[in-house]
Amino acid sequence: MSKTVVYEVEVMFGDCDPAGIVFFPNFSKWMDASSLNFFVKCGVPPWRELVKTTGIIGTPLLEIHTKFMRPATYGERLQIHTSVTEWRDKVLIHKHVVMRGDTVLCEGTETRAFCIKHPDDPTRIKAIPVPEDIKALCS
Amino acid sequence: MSKTVVYEVEVMFGDCDPAGIVFFPNFSKWMDASSLNFFVKCGVPPWRELVKTTGIIGTPLLEIHTKFMRPATYGERLQIHTSVTEWRDKVLIHKHVVMRGDTVLCEGTETRAFCIKHPDDPTRIKAIPVPEDIKALCS
Amino acid sequence: MSKTVVYEVEVMFGDCDPAGIVFFPNFSKWMDASSLNFFVKCGVPPWRELVKTTGIIGTPLLEIHTKFMRPATYGERLQIHTSVTEWRDKVLIHKHVVMRGDTVLCEGTETRAFCIKHPDDPTRIKAIPVPEDIKALCS
Amino acid sequence: MSKTVVYEVEVMFGDCDPAGIVFFPNFSKWMDASSLNFFVKCGVPPWRELVKTTGIIGTPLLEIHTKFMRPATYGERLQIHTSVTEWRDKVLIHKHVVMRGDTVLCEGTETRAFCIKHPDDPTRIKAIPVPEDIKALCS
């Protein structure tokens, strides 16, 4: 069984579009926040701390896949249920389920890599093997 | 003494800019959410309900004035202290103070008008006198 | 051969995150804008016009799938190459390729349905068969 | 006469709120982008370059003041007319006028300071006197 951490957001007026519902890229923003919250709740320092000790600047996205089942609107509280479903050499797969109480609104996976500044070119980034200690904390 | 309602937000990674701090327009977004929360907590229905009974579509901004004192970053919880400091015929003045615990980060005023769809042209909006019942609920 | 329409965006400072690169949900926002631009350039009226004559409120997303190959940063001009790769009964599949000149940065598909307000409940929406005239304009 | 530089944006669907009009903090985002564009067009390197030679990380906002006269919606092209109306020791005052062709939609001022990382604490920033060479380029 993998750890699941729940992150809660309240939908703001400014998160909604002219159809009166959440503008869909905000679900990606919230999944991203929930990914970071997942690591922090598992005991991993925030990226701005981790970069000082390990060089890790974060876990940029390689790929996302999201299904939108039901809309949400402002004033509602949503819960994002986040876990890691797979660890590969250099990537991890996150699963996020966005719920409003018992109702599933949206489901997504994210493929992420731990990255550092590229040693030869600080304007680029470079994936590194998943650090074992982080994997242990999050499994 | 005017009512003050506190709205809490957690800063997300995606709210921050390349300087690593909250991208300032997000403070305006949060003040806007806090304004809506203020009305709801005072007993005013959300705009999508109110429009059905009164035609009021919301309280668009006429003017904002914001001072930024200290930055914030992701993972922090902020509190927006919101009140109405003045009611005029057709506008109200909101004051918002964004705090992180005891520290003031940002202060702003908003001038807002209650608006309906323009009776002659549904693509335009029209300010109406501040409804007395809403004023009573919020004072 | 399907029609391809190119939509250009300039990356703003506020589109970028603490890593100094485009915050990834903005690619989804731009693909969404490019989808709308695609329809308009093919001769379909904007949703706010179309709703008056057909009831169609837009083409909400059912699913997105995006791969991120290379980052972008502020000040850069990007081109989103958008087409429809498949028309089914009630959905269409968009393909978007985000380029910076000759370099592919990001590729994604969107599954969209044409929707109207639900006849029994105006707070819900309902998918309708893809209108033949719109399909003809866009193919 | 101060230099005026015009920055153009196209309003996207995702920039608009449930009232169908631009969500107002986006005007601040665009003014910010227009400020950066102003400096670049005047010959100042982008912040990510400037930081390497001068330590300047950008020009964070101290204060904004914005008046909203007319709304805008998606698909429209807006022009932001940006200038510096005042240079003080450590701050500059920007004026931005957002127009849609000949129509003024929104006007705002920004008070900005040139900042570096604080020498004693890299998590803080510090305002420096306006660099004379930048002032000369932009006046």
Side-chain angles (χ1 to χ4, degrees):
Chain A
M1 265 297 291
S2 62
K3 279 187 194 171
T4 297
V5 177
V6 180
Y7 183 74
E8 192 164 75
V9 302
E10 184 167 330
V11 182
M12 298 185 193
F13 183 80
D15 294 319
C16 298
D17 65 20
I21 59 177
V22 170
F23 184 54
F24 74 96
N26 286 312
F27 285 110
S28 298
K29 181 193 179 198
W30 299 333
M31 290 178 183
D32 181 71
S34 189
S35 167
L36 178 51
N37 180 65
F38 174 87
F39 288 117
V40 170
K41 289 291 188 298
C42 288
V44 180
W47 311 134
R48 65 179 170 272
E49 299 301 323
L50 204 62
V51 71
K52 298 176 195 164
T53 53
T54 66
I56 293 172
I57 58 160
T59 54
L61 270 301
L62 302 183
E63 192 169 343
I64 60 171
H65 191 175
T66 317
K67 294 187 187 189
F68 305 96
M69 282 85 115
R70 284 179 188 78
T73 192
Y74 56 91
E76 296 179 346
R77 295 193 74 82
L78 312 183
Q79 298 80 36
I80 299 143
H81 298 248
T82 292
S83 56
V84 174
T85 56
E86 192 182 341
W87 297 90
R88 295 187 200 150
D89 277 6
K90 286 199 170 179
V91 305
L92 63 93
I93 314 290
H94 259 313
K95 183 177 180 190
H96 304 283
V97 183
V98 183
M99 306 194 70
R100 187 178 52 222
D102 292 336
T103 306
V104 176
L105 303 183
C106 172
E107 275 188 10
T109 58
E110 294 177 332
T111 307
R112 291 177 176 271
F114 285 87
C115 285
I116 59 172
K117 292 269 179 197
H118 199 288
D120 301 334
D121 177 358
T123 67
R124 291 169 54 210
I125 60 179
K126 183 177 180 299
I128 57 168
V130 174
E132 284 301 321
D133 54 341
I134 293 184
K135 187 172 165 181
L137 284 170
C138 300
S139 296
Chain B
M1 265 297 291
S2 62
K3 280 186 193 173
T4 298
V5 177
V6 180
Y7 183 74
E8 193 165 72
V9 302
E10 185 168 329
V11 182
M12 299 185 194
F13 183 80
D15 294 320
C16 298
D17 65 20
I21 59 176
V22 169
F23 184 54
F24 73 97
N26 287 312
F27 285 111
S28 298
K29 182 193 178 198
W30 298 334
M31 290 179 182
D32 182 70
S34 188
S35 167
L36 178 51
N37 180 66
F38 174 86
F39 288 117
V40 170
K41 288 292 188 299
C42 287
V44 180
W47 311 133
R48 62 179 173 272
E49 299 300 323
L50 203 63
V51 70
K52 297 176 194 166
T53 53
T54 66
I56 294 171
I57 58 160
T59 52
L61 270 301
L62 302 184
E63 194 168 342
I64 60 171
H65 191 173
T66 316
K67 293 187 189 189
F68 305 96
M69 280 86 112
R70 283 179 189 79
T73 191
Y74 56 92
E76 297 179 344
R77 297 194 72 83
L78 312 183
Q79 298 80 37
I80 299 143
H81 297 248
T82 293
S83 57
V84 175
T85 54
E86 191 181 344
W87 298 90
R88 297 189 198 147
D89 276 6
K90 288 199 170 181
V91 305
L92 64 91
I93 314 291
H94 259 315
K95 182 176 180 189
H96 304 282
V97 183
V98 183
M99 304 192 71
R100 186 179 53 222
D102 292 336
T103 307
V104 176
L105 303 183
C106 171
E107 276 189 8
T109 58
E110 295 178 329
T111 307
R112 292 177 175 272
F114 284 87
C115 286
I116 59 173
K117 292 269 178 197
H118 199 288
D120 302 334
D121 177 357
T123 67
R124 290 168 53 208
I125 60 178
K126 184 179 181 298
I128 58 168
V130 175
E132 283 300 324
D133 54 342
I134 292 184
K135 186 171 164 181
L137 283 170
C138 300
S139 296
Chain C
M1 265 298 290
S2 63
K3 280 186 193 172
T4 297
V5 177
V6 180
Y7 182 74
E8 193 165 74
V9 302
E10 183 167 330
V11 182
M12 299 184 193
F13 183 80
D15 294 320
C16 297
D17 65 21
I21 59 177
V22 170
F23 184 54
F24 73 98
N26 286 313
F27 286 110
S28 298
K29 181 192 179 199
W30 299 333
M31 290 179 182
D32 181 72
S34 189
S35 167
L36 178 51
N37 180 64
F38 175 86
F39 288 116
V40 169
K41 288 292 187 299
C42 288
V44 180
W47 311 133
R48 62 179 174 272
E49 299 300 322
L50 203 62
V51 70
K52 297 176 194 165
T53 53
T54 66
I56 293 171
I57 58 160
T59 54
L61 269 301
L62 302 183
E63 195 169 340
I64 60 171
H65 191 173
T66 316
K67 293 186 188 189
F68 305 96
M69 280 86 112
R70 282 179 189 78
T73 191
Y74 56 92
E76 296 179 346
R77 298 193 72 82
L78 311 183
Q79 299 80 36
I80 299 142
H81 297 249
T82 293
S83 57
V84 175
T85 55
E86 192 181 343
W87 297 91
R88 296 189 199 146
D89 276 6
K90 289 197 169 180
V91 306
L92 64 90
I93 314 290
H94 260 314
K95 183 176 178 189
H96 303 282
V97 183
V98 183
M99 305 192 73
R100 187 179 52 222
D102 293 337
T103 307
V104 176
L105 303 184
C106 171
E107 276 189 8
T109 58
E110 295 177 331
T111 308
R112 292 177 174 271
F114 284 87
C115 286
I116 60 173
K117 292 270 178 195
H118 199 288
D120 301 336
D121 178 357
T123 67
R124 290 169 53 209
I125 60 178
K126 185 179 182 297
I128 57 168
V130 175
E132 283 301 323
D133 54 341
I134 292 183
K135 188 172 164 180
L137 283 169
C138 300
S139 296
Chain D
M1 266 298 290
S2 61
K3 280 187 192 172
T4 297
V5 177
V6 180
Y7 183 73
E8 192 164 72
V9 301
E10 184 166 331
V11 183
M12 299 185 193
F13 183 81
D15 294 320
C16 298
D17 66 20
I21 58 177
V22 170
F23 184 54
F24 73 96
N26 286 312
F27 285 110
S28 298
K29 182 192 179 199
W30 299 334
M31 289 179 183
D32 181 70
S34 188
S35 166
L36 177 51
N37 180 65
F38 174 86
F39 288 115
V40 171
K41 289 291 188 299
C42 288
V44 181
W47 311 134
R48 63 178 173 274
E49 299 301 324
L50 203 62
V51 71
K52 297 175 196 165
T53 53
T54 67
I56 293 172
I57 59 160
T59 53
L61 270 300
L62 302 183
E63 195 169 341
I64 60 171
H65 190 177
T66 317
K67 294 186 187 189
F68 305 96
M69 280 86 114
R70 284 179 187 77
T73 192
Y74 56 92
E76 296 178 347
R77 296 193 74 82
L78 312 184
Q79 298 81 35
I80 299 141
H81 298 247
T82 293
S83 56
V84 175
T85 54
E86 191 180 341
W87 297 90
R88 298 188 197 148
D89 276 4
K90 288 198 170 182
V91 304
L92 64 92
I93 314 290
H94 260 315
K95 183 177 179 188
H96 304 283
V97 183
V98 183
M99 306 194 71
R100 187 178 52 222
D102 293 336
T103 307
V104 176
L105 303 184
C106 172
E107 275 188 9
T109 59
E110 293 177 331
T111 308
R112 292 178 175 272
F114 284 87
C115 286
I116 60 173
K117 292 269 179 196
H118 198 289
D120 301 335
D121 177 357
T123 67
R124 290 168 54 208
I125 59 178
K126 182 177 182 300
I128 57 167
V130 175
E132 283 302 322
D133 53 342
I134 292 185
K135 186 171 166 181
L137 283 169
C138 299
S139 296

